[in-house]
Amino acid sequence: MRILVVEDDINLNRQLAEALKEAGYVVDTAFDGEEGHFLGDTEPYDAIILDIGLPEMDGITVLEKWRGAGRTVPVLILTARDRWSDKVAGIDAGADDYVAKPFHVEEVLARIRALIRRAAGHASSEIVCGPVRLDTKSSKATVDGKPLKLTSHEYRLLAYLMHHKGEVVSRTELVEHMYDQDFDRDSNTIEVFVGRLRKKMGVDLIETVRGLGYRIQAPTNAN
């Protein structure tokens, strides 16, 4: 899963980025509204954290431009605690949720997890596909209750496929959501990670759709 953090406070931006990375996300950062708007308009993110008070272009304007262009990515806005009008303006502009400063990073992480789950149609913090269970809160996966030891890239791949279970996901889409903008992307590595995942899981869960990509089929009784 790939997140964009748009926050002009360097220390807060870094704090959020580090916490998100530790939680298993790929993170891009921007420090003003113009840069944030450009990234959100040209890169595929699973969620965006957007400060309201930004230089160059304020957060409300950035959000309105995204929504006006048809960008449906979940957006969590950061507001000042005593500015209720910012919260109202943000929600009216198309924000999906907000957090007031100062805040605990754990709250931001929880809200981001919830936004990504809801965008993919999942209500619970656990996503189940047959014997495989993904806990988005702990960033861990199990097969028949036994923990899977996954690398960060393997986890990101499995998490993205499980969030989009039943859908065919192309190699290009996987690459775009597994690596940040500066990474030297090579879609051929996806085949390697899929092979490793299949071997570690020991179950026939990831289907190769020839010429299109990969799919995890959701059993009819799955969440």
Side-chain angles (χ1 to χ4, degrees):
M1 296 294 172
R2 189 175 173 198
I3 310 293
L4 172 64
V5 177
V6 190
E7 166 62 61
D8 63 316
D9 184 310
I10 296 176
N11 290 330
L12 181 55
N13 192 312
R14 182 173 60 247
Q15 182 183 12
L16 287 169
E18 289 177 352
L20 287 162
K21 289 175 182 176
E22 288 179 2
Y25 297 101
V26 178
V27 184
D28 291 332
T29 58
F31 297 89
D32 64 65
E34 287 188 354
E35 181 185 14
H37 171 259
F38 174 77
L39 289 175
D41 203 41
T42 57
E43 295 287 337
Y45 293 103
D46 296 290
I48 296 176
I49 298 174
L50 176 68
D51 185 33
I52 292 296
L54 293 168
E56 307 300 334
M57 185 188 301
D58 67 86
I60 297 296
T61 301
V62 171
L63 183 53
E64 288 176 338
K65 285 180 175 291
W66 284 337
R67 296 311 190 216
R71 309 299 179 194
T72 60
V73 57
V75 175
L76 172 70
I77 57 172
L78 306 179
T79 72
R81 183 169 294 278
D82 57 348
R83 290 289 298 276
W84 63 267
S85 58
D86 284 348
K87 303 170 188 176
V88 173
I91 297 298
D92 284 344
D96 298 274
D97 200 357
Y98 70 85
V99 172
K101 298 178 181 179
F103 51 76
H104 292 289
V105 173
E106 290 78 8
E107 180 182 1
V108 174
L109 294 176
R111 291 181 181 273
I112 285 293
R113 288 195 298 268
L115 288 181
I116 293 175
R117 288 200 313 268
R118 289 201 294 268
H122 303 291
S124 171
S125 62
E126 290 189 331
I127 303 174
V128 181
C129 290
V132 179
R133 184 180 298 268
L134 183 78
D135 187 335
T136 61
K137 183 177 180 180
S138 65
S139 300
K140 296 185 183 301
T142 59
V143 177
D144 290 326
K146 298 178 181 178
L148 276 175
K149 295 182 179 179
L150 304 176
T151 66
S152 59
H153 286 94
E154 291 166 354
Y155 174 80
R156 291 170 191 162
L157 174 59
L158 179 61
Y160 194 82
L161 288 174
M162 289 188 68
H163 272 86
H164 297 84
K165 61 184 180 181
E167 303 174 20
V168 177
V169 181
S170 70
R171 291 177 176 83
T172 299
E173 183 177 346
L174 286 168
V175 168
E176 289 176 338
H177 288 266
M178 286 177 61
Y179 302 116
D180 61 40
Q181 65 181 116
D182 298 323
F183 192 87
D184 184 15
R185 300 169 181 177
D186 180 2
S187 63
N188 291 329
T189 61
I190 297 299
E191 295 181 17
V192 176
F193 292 134
V194 168
R196 291 177 182 174
L197 269 176
R198 285 170 170 159
K199 184 175 181 180
K200 288 184 177 183
M201 290 190 297
V203 294
D204 187 17
L205 191 70
I206 303 176
E207 173 191 2
T208 298
V209 183
R210 189 172 300 276
L212 296 176
Y214 300 97
R215 172 173 55 201
I216 285 182
Q217 283 288 22
T220 56
N221 62 343
N223 290 343

